[in-house]
Amino acid sequence: MRLSLRFIVPLAVALALIAYAVVPLVDRFTLKWFERDLDIRTSLIANALQEPLEPLIREGSRTKVLRLFDRILGDERLFALGFCNPNHVLVYKTLTFPAKVTCAVTGAEPAANVSRVVEQGRGPIHVAIRPLESDGVVYGSLVLVHDMSFVQRRSDDTKKYVFYLFTVIAAIISLITVVIAELSWRGWVAGFKALIRGETFGRAGGEVHMRELRPVARDLQALIRDLESERRTRDDSQINWSPETLRMILRNDLKGEEVLIVSNREPYLHLRRNDRIEVQRPASGLVTALEPVMRACSGTWIAHGSGSADRETVDGSDHVMVPPDRPAYRIRRVWLSQEEEAGYYYGFANSGLWPLCHIAHTRPTFRSADWEAYETVNRKFADTVVQEAATRDPIVLVQDYHFALLPRMIRERLPDATVITFWHIPWPNPEAFGICPWRESILDGLLGSSILGFHTQFHCNNFFDTVDRYLESRIDRETYTISYGGDQTAVHRYPISIEWPLHSATMEKPVAQCRADVRGRNGFAPDAVLVVGVDRLDYTKGILERFLAVERFLELEPEWIGKFVFVQIAAPSRSRIDEYQNFEERVRALARRINGRFSVGAYAPICLKVEHHEPDEVYEYYRASEACFVSSLHDGMNLVAKEFVASRDDERGVLILSQFTGASRELAEALIVNPYDVDQCAAALRLSLTMPEAEQRDRMRSMRGEVQEFNVFRWAGRMLLDAAQMRMRSRLLARADRGRKLISTRGA
Ligand code: G6P
């Protein structure tokens, strides 16, 4: 419709101009030319008659004059002839001579040359009077009457041809204009699209379309960025991030769209203990962070059903509602065979990728069979996502290194889905990552995501460098995007956190009570001073280094022997992997050796508890301790540090934190240590036990403010808002595309 208008309107304007301006102008000019022609012709005839006519006039022979006139009238255009004497009397005239014409028709002297067009019944006639002389004496004048109907005929023909000619020219010009306008419109649309997407102008393809946009491009991009960052800052600083905020984002910004989470570890495991079924919340930073988010958002959490009673507790479609006491969302369990679990989870994920990404001096092991299982399981989860998706464009939150291939697999099956992938562990530098034999496939898989998140900018930069090294792609470090194979992935930093306030009954229990209960339960002295460490039994956590620091501390400060107890809660983890079994043995052996060295009676300085603890129990240890020691050798974030801070609403307690954790970038008031530096760690232990209360309060207050403000609802909210914005943009672009297609179809 709009295309035909664009063609017809200029054409109609051109036709009106032709009809009312061009044709009359051409008509006037042709008339003038014909009049001038007739004047010349008239003079020629008059000159030619001068000589033969003069003797006949003198002779007064009427018959001879009229015969001469009739002979001349043989010319088809000369219509009548007459002769006037010097007194303006029409003496001779041919039979055709119009009655209206007299010798005085012009009112001029016979000596004057006069021409005039006169209208009469049959159409216009051209009347010309030419004086006749003989020897310089005027003896009369010749009246020549030309029929001008041929001029009229010719003028009509000319008008017609001029009209046709100009109409054709106007049509061609209109068509060319429409085509050019359409082409440049497409160019502009493409240009603006690229602009909105934040693309720059370096690409050969885009260059042609966008040259005209260049002057405005930078300003527009800067404006978009300003608006975005303004919105981000405004959002981030003004919003009180809570479960309700998340619900609001889902309601308002995402219009209640479907949210699916995929992770390997499920938030609730059902375990068979004799004839009872127990529910367990696993020790996992990922679960700690995401569980409150899911409670707020509802939706479906797809995970490996790994509990011994998991199959007994699901419904016919493998779903179970959780939390058991207050169901808010559902888990969809995916079943893996023992071989699949061995290859995908214990093999590629935890013997390959885990040590690869954590620079903790444990060699990664890569086996083809593990890689095949990893691919198979990723595909199994992709199938489950497709089955669970009720819409064609759900928001899928893919979690962690177990699913590097999943984003691409989802993108292939649900191209309209928004896939947000979060990598919970560090991303190493390109050299370290390069030893993985399937590095390109992993990068390709991850770049199926719409948004890819890491805890720190350092990990984002490592990822950019790795992609730059191993894939043909376009990296924009200004907008933090990677364009690869026609897709664009935004790579951003989203520091993960925990819920605030903590959702636990232990928080109701006074600190003094927690202390008394922990001491009583474990048989510690009533005045024992506790420091706690809470981890999975994992070689990246620096548990050995921590014990060595305890040993050094007691060496340097023997007065603490008998009073100081280091409680290490170590959740058994991945124990089928040799590295982990060896590690557990080494941890136990070291604790034994140090305890052997410093034990006095029933007192032992290290209390190693290798068993699962539910969150409420862990919070009790946090509240009962003077300090919490986090000594990871490499850790994406480490949420134990944040949980300790959140649990200390009494504003006491000291956090000793490894510089190799993501958390150390946020919790600057902790005692930041290098876990490899045993003396520094021992000094930090001493400082934590002797720190004045006022200083403890100041530090703790500041860290609590940080964790409160940057809580997990903000982490999830920020990603969901970015996803909402991305979806809005792509819908706008799709609408622009549809509009353009509509224009071309209608125009065709
Ligand atoms: C880390 C990983 C998580 C994982 C957790 C516990 O935090 O990033 O993905 O769930 O460790 O490990 P597990 O192997 O027991 O799930």
Side-chain angles (χ1 to χ4, degrees):
M1 171 69 187
R2 280 173 56 190
L3 188 65
S4 45
L5 268 185
R6 264 195 260 162
F7 176 69
I8 283 169
V9 170
L11 187 62
V13 173
L15 289 181
L17 268 174
I18 294 165
Y20 294 101
V22 178
V23 170
L25 203 70
V26 171
D27 193 30
R28 245 199 340 270
F29 277 128
T30 39
L31 205 66
K32 280 247 156 51
W33 285 332
F34 281 121
E35 271 180 48
R36 214 172 312 138
D37 269 4
L38 285 177
D39 283 350
I40 296 167
R41 198 181 152 82
T42 310
S43 302
L44 265 173
I45 298 173
N47 287 341
L49 275 177
Q50 195 104 278
E51 260 187 41
L53 194 58
E54 197 243 315
L56 303 182
I57 297 291
R58 276 193 209 297
E59 205 179 304
S61 167
R62 176 175 200 83
T63 326
K64 285 184 183 170
V65 169
L66 289 178
R67 197 178 304 134
L68 178 63
F69 278 7
D70 283 341
R71 223 176 31 245
I72 306 286
L73 280 190
D75 179 329
E76 57 169 315
R77 280 178 208 143
L78 191 58
F79 177 61
L81 274 172
F83 174 78
C84 302
N85 69 13
N87 299 327
H88 298 313
V89 176
L90 186 62
V91 184
Y92 306 114
K93 58 173 184 177
T94 57
L95 285 174
T96 51
F97 204 86
K100 214 174 172 183
V101 179
T102 62
C103 295
V105 72
T106 63
E109 289 300 313
N113 267 326
V114 178
S115 300
R116 174 163 292 186
V117 175
V118 177
E119 279 300 330
Q120 56 122 36
R122 290 175 54 221
I125 50 173
H126 179 267
V127 180
I129 298 183
R130 295 287 178 268
L132 296 168
E133 290 178 8
S134 173
D135 298 332
V137 179
V138 174
Y139 63 88
S141 55
L142 195 62
V143 182
L144 300 101
V145 180
H146 272 92
D147 176 8
M148 282 191 76
S149 60
F150 84 97
V151 174
Q152 191 64 47
R153 271 198 315 278
R154 280 194 183 176
S155 159
D156 286 350
D157 283 352
T158 314
K159 275 198 254 177
K160 204 161 66 197
Y161 291 131
V162 165
F163 185 78
Y164 289 158
L165 180 72
F166 275 82
T167 305
V168 170
I169 292 174
I172 292 172
I173 291 174
S174 295
L175 203 68
I176 292 173
T177 315
V178 167
V179 170
I180 291 174
E182 174 65 13
L183 288 180
S184 37
W185 169 251
R186 282 186 202 192
W188 276 70
V189 168
F192 273 110
K193 268 171 134 181
L195 205 66
I196 293 171
R197 274 196 233 105
E199 286 176 10
T200 53
F201 296 91
R203 240 173 32 179
E207 184 104 357
V208 181
H209 301 304
M210 296 162 81
R211 196 167 290 145
E212 316 89 273
L213 298 182
R214 235 180 243 177
V216 286
R218 281 193 208 302
D219 288 352
L220 249 171
Q221 279 180 333
L223 186 69
I224 290 171
R225 265 202 303 278
D226 282 357
L227 286 173
E228 275 176 0
S229 72
E230 198 181 291
R231 183 176 156 204
R232 224 178 150 114
T233 330
R234 198 186 53 227
D235 287 352
D236 287 7
S237 59
Q238 289 178 2
I239 295 177
N240 175 21
W241 292 91
S242 65
E244 187 42 42
T245 325
L246 270 192
R247 280 191 279 269
M248 248 171 57
I249 291 174
L250 286 169
R251 229 182 5 250
N252 302 339
D253 294 73
L254 287 162
K255 310 272 178 295
E257 301 204 49
E258 197 185 2
V259 178
L260 301 170
I261 290 191
V262 187
S263 76
N264 170 69
R265 184 59 67 201
E266 55 184 336
Y268 293 89
L269 287 98
H270 287 92
L271 300 171
R272 177 151 291 282
R273 300 252 187 261
N274 306 320
D275 53 351
R276 280 192 319 115
I277 290 179
E278 266 178 25
V279 180
Q280 192 179 87
R281 284 183 60 185
S284 153
L286 179 156
V287 169
T288 306
L290 279 166
E291 209 278 332
V293 171
M294 265 318 247
R295 260 190 275 127
C297 299
S298 303
T300 305
W301 185 326
I302 302 170
H304 171 208
S306 56
S308 51
D310 273 359
R311 284 181 196 261
E312 296 168 53
T313 43
V314 290
D315 63 15
S317 42
D318 299 330
H319 292 126
V320 58
M321 289 299 293
V322 287
D325 49 340
R326 238 175 139 189
Y329 64 95
R330 62 184 193 170
I331 300 179
R332 161 71 200 268
R333 286 177 171 149
V334 177
W335 313 116
L336 301 182
S337 67
Q338 279 192 3
E339 296 70 42
E340 283 173 337
E341 193 182 1
Y344 140 83
Y345 173 77
Y346 291 109
F348 195 77
N350 285 313
S351 303
L353 287 179
W354 177 269
L356 178 79
C357 291
H358 288 89
I359 314 293
H361 316 291
T362 299
R363 286 170 68 113
T365 308
F366 291 110
R367 290 175 287 249
S368 301
D370 291 349
W371 169 249
E372 277 155 28
Y374 187 80
E375 266 188 313
T376 309
V377 172
N378 271 246
R379 196 156 300 287
K380 200 173 212 175
F381 274 82
D383 293 343
T384 313
V385 169
V386 175
Q387 269 170 31
E388 289 295 322
T391 55
R392 52 170 192 79
D393 60 349
I395 297 172
V396 190
L397 303 173
V398 175
Q399 305 301 313
D400 231 350
Y401 60 99
H402 310 89
F403 296 116
L405 305 178
L406 186 58
R408 169 77 53 215
M409 292 174 177
I410 297 175
R411 167 102 18 264
E412 280 162 5
R413 311 268 302 270
L414 296 171
D416 295 324
T418 303
V419 182
I420 307 176
T421 303
F422 193 80
W423 195 260
H424 289 256
I425 62 175
W427 189 276
N429 62 42
E431 289 72 31
F433 185 78
I435 64 174
C436 173
W438 296 278
R439 60 195 181 195
E440 284 88 3
S441 307
I442 287 176
L443 295 174
D444 173 87
L446 285 171
L447 290 176
S449 316
S450 322
I451 297 175
L452 176 58
F454 294 96
H455 292 298
T456 66
Q457 192 55 45
F458 185 68
H459 298 151
C460 294
N461 295 346
N462 276 350
F463 184 77
F464 282 128
D465 293 343
T466 310
V467 172
D468 204 10
R469 180 77 60 90
Y470 300 114
L471 288 187
E472 277 297 320
S473 63
R474 198 163 62 86
I475 297 174
D476 187 334
R477 289 176 196 252
E478 214 174 298
T479 54
Y480 299 116
T481 51
I482 298 178
S483 303
Y484 169 72
D487 289 328
Q488 198 178 60
T489 304
V491 180
H492 289 306
R493 152 185 180 266
Y494 301 97
I496 206 167
S497 193
I498 54 167
E499 68 178 330
W500 186 282
L502 283 179
H503 183 80
S504 160
T506 311
M507 292 304 290
E508 309 297 322
K509 196 165 156 182
V511 164
Q513 185 66 52
C514 293
R515 223 174 256 150
D517 286 355
V518 165
R519 284 173 183 153
R521 214 171 41 246
N522 289 284
F524 301 150
D527 60 347
V529 172
L530 308 185
V531 173
V532 72
V534 179
D535 307 86
R536 281 180 306 101
L537 203 39
D538 192 297
Y539 52 80
T540 62
K541 300 296 180 184
I543 298 173
L544 296 173
E545 288 70 10
R546 206 175 297 169
F547 287 0
L548 292 173
V550 167
E551 181 179 36
R552 184 81 184 121
F553 165 68
L554 293 177
E555 270 171 22
L556 295 171
E557 309 272 335
E559 62 273 26
W560 285 99
I561 299 170
K563 266 209 295 196
F564 170 86
V565 179
F566 186 82
V567 181
Q568 177 64 51
I569 293 179
S573 180
R574 306 169 192 170
S575 21
R576 276 173 54 186
I577 300 172
D578 284 352
E579 281 293 340
Y580 283 78
Q581 286 170 9
N582 297 340
F583 183 68
E584 184 178 338
E585 274 164 31
R586 289 169 65 203
V587 167
R588 285 184 187 278
L590 186 60
R592 258 196 319 271
R593 186 178 67 70
I594 295 171
N595 281 342
R597 196 174 159 196
F598 297 105
S599 285
V600 186
Y603 166 81
I606 294 177
C607 172
L608 175 60
K609 301 170 86 64
V610 181
E611 61 192 303
H612 176 79
H613 288 70
E614 281 297 304
D616 284 352
E617 299 171 77
V618 173
Y619 298 151
E620 192 178 36
Y621 277 98
Y622 288 145
R623 284 167 79 75
S625 302
E626 302 307 309
C628 174
F629 195 173
V630 175
S631 53
S632 305
L633 305 180
H634 202 184
D635 216 332
M637 174 55 73
N638 192 287
L639 293 183
V640 165
K642 292 189 176 180
E643 280 180 339
F644 174 66
V645 167
S647 73
R648 298 311 296 258
D649 55 359
D650 61 334
E651 297 181 338
R652 296 291 184 281
V654 177
L655 174 64
I656 305 171
L657 182 59
S658 158
Q659 68 185 77
F660 304 118
T661 58
S664 68
R665 324 252 157 149
E666 294 174 63
L667 303 176
E669 292 78 11
L671 299 179
I672 306 290
V673 294
N674 173 356
Y676 295 96
D677 184 340
V678 66
D679 282 301
Q680 188 194 44
C681 291
L685 274 173
R686 184 177 158 274
L687 187 57
S688 71
L689 300 179
T690 53
M691 187 181 283
E693 286 204 348
E695 187 179 344
Q696 288 185 34
R697 189 195 55 230
D698 290 348
R699 287 177 184 257
M700 189 50 89
R701 197 176 274 176
S702 167
M703 290 190 289
R704 284 174 62 79
E706 182 80 13
V707 178
Q708 175 175 18
E709 199 181 330
F710 293 87
N711 60 34
V712 77
F713 303 112
R714 184 176 187 155
W715 171 79
R718 204 46 277 163
M719 284 194 290
L720 290 175
L721 279 175
D722 286 350
Q725 194 181 39
M726 198 171 254
R727 284 160 85 87
M728 192 187 72
R729 275 184 184 178
S730 62
R731 277 176 193 158
L732 283 175
L733 291 178
R735 207 176 299 158
D737 258 351
R738 272 202 303 277
R740 200 175 50 70
K741 279 192 193 122
L742 207 67
I743 289 172
S744 5
T745 350
R746 299 238 169 122

